[in-house]
Amino acid sequence: MSSNANAGIDAGRGRFVTFEGGEGAGKSTQARLLAAALAEVGVDAATTREPGGSKTAERLREALLSGLVEPLGPAAEALVFAAARIDHVDHLIRPALASGRWVICDRFVDSTRAYQGALGNVDPSLIAALEKTAVGDCRPDLTLILDLPPETGLARAARRRGPGAVDRFEKQGPEFHEQLRRAFLAIARAEPERCAIVDADTDEATLAREIWSVVTRKLRPLRWLAARGEGAMGA
Ligand code: T5A
């Protein structure tokens, strides 16, 4: 391996990984497992989620998932998701990446594109403008789209929740969730450099191995560490 093997790697900044997909696809579980796998090789990663992830954004999450904003329509919901995202990016994601931490986020801009854009029929130019305002250049390096039949994901989400009330989006009918699945797949197809589709209709450990193989192939955590002078050269 030449001494220039790490040339071009911006190791001053952490890497930004997002998980996307339908309800109960296993995003939170896999975000946690990925952070643990990264920690094992010496990469410090913050795990976070949307909506939420920062103090004010968590309060907006309550408003969104309780259905408080729903009567105002999908465009108003998109505005509130974006407001939460501004706080989250400014207070958690951007500073963490700048300090050299990796960030693993359970849902991000693709959820707005899919739920409010594709399914809510919010004008794509509004979705794009909100995204630009909220995120700027703080874009994911890798987005893992967890794909599985919606009924499997909804059954998992229901088992975890128990007999409690379903949230704003879980209560939608089967056609909504099928369309959602198609919307995420279309996003992945439109941006193949950033997005990887993984088959989430499998057990947690198998899925975690598949995700680790995508992350090592695309983001090269050991090389990133080596470029920082913190680890041996490798995958
Ligand atoms: N939303 C969000 C928008 O409309 N626009 C936006 O811009 C954003 C950011 C968020 C809602 O907001 C919407 C989308 C959502 O409807 P949420 O509660 O965060 O609400 O919803 P989800 O992200 O869907 O969260 P879930 O917890 O339901 O799903 P996860 O995170 O995909 O699944 P996870 O890991 O919690 O697993 C669910 C259950 O399944 C088990 C777990 O143990 C858990 O019990 N499980 C598995 N079981 C079998 N095999 C596997 N491989 C399993 N993996 C996990």
Side-chain angles (χ1 to χ4, degrees):
M1 187 84 59
S2 95
S3 59
N4 271 342
N6 297 322
I9 295 185
D10 175 9
R13 174 186 173 277
R15 296 288 180 262
F16 185 17
V17 181
T18 57
F19 280 89
E20 298 278 5
E23 314 285 322
K27 299 175 296 298
S28 331
T29 305
Q30 293 301 325
R32 237 180 3 255
L33 292 174
L34 176 58
L38 285 166
E40 269 189 35
V41 299
V43 174
D44 177 31
T47 51
T48 186
R49 68 172 181 186
E50 287 211 348
S54 59
K55 201 167 156 204
T56 305
E58 286 291 331
R59 294 179 67 187
L60 293 173
R61 176 186 175 93
E62 283 169 31
L64 286 159
L65 298 195
S66 67
L68 180 69
V69 189
E70 184 181 2
L72 305 180
E77 285 184 308
L79 297 177
V80 181
F81 277 112
R85 185 161 298 132
I86 286 171
D87 193 62
H88 187 207
V89 169
D90 285 353
H91 289 101
L92 191 150
I93 299 176
R94 199 188 300 279
L97 293 171
S99 75
R101 292 189 89 193
W102 287 38
V103 174
I104 303 170
C105 189
D106 178 355
R107 296 195 183 278
F108 197 57
V109 289
D110 298 308
S111 284
T112 307
R113 292 186 194 178
Y115 282 80
Q116 285 66 52
L119 279 97
N121 288 316
V122 175
D123 186 336
S125 63
L126 175 60
I127 297 286
L130 291 173
E131 195 172 305
K132 194 170 167 206
T133 302
V135 169
D137 61 357
C138 196
R139 306 224 160 235
D141 298 295
L142 173 64
T143 296
L144 295 145
I145 301 210
L146 271 49
D147 180 59
L148 84 177
E151 59 275 17
T152 309
L154 287 166
R156 285 182 191 171
R159 268 199 305 278
R160 188 212 45 198
R161 188 184 57 246
V166 291
D167 74 27
R168 154 81 180 90
F169 294 97
E170 278 175 24
K171 72 179 184 199
Q172 302 294 328
E175 180 52 25
F176 176 94
H177 293 286
E178 277 298 342
Q179 279 182 37
L180 189 61
R181 183 184 194 185
R182 289 197 289 274
F184 279 117
L185 292 175
I187 289 168
R189 276 194 295 272
E191 288 186 62
E193 284 298 308
R194 171 175 69 90
C195 300
I197 300 167
V198 281
D199 178 6
D201 194 7
T202 183
D203 63 90
E204 286 178 17
T206 306
L207 183 53
R209 275 195 300 277
E210 172 60 21
I211 286 169
W212 183 242
S213 119
V214 175
V215 169
T216 51
R217 194 171 67 243
K218 294 224 174 210
L219 299 181
R220 304 279 187 179
L222 296 185
R223 279 199 191 173
W224 180 86
L225 278 171
R228 288 170 71 81
E230 290 178 16
M233 183 112 53

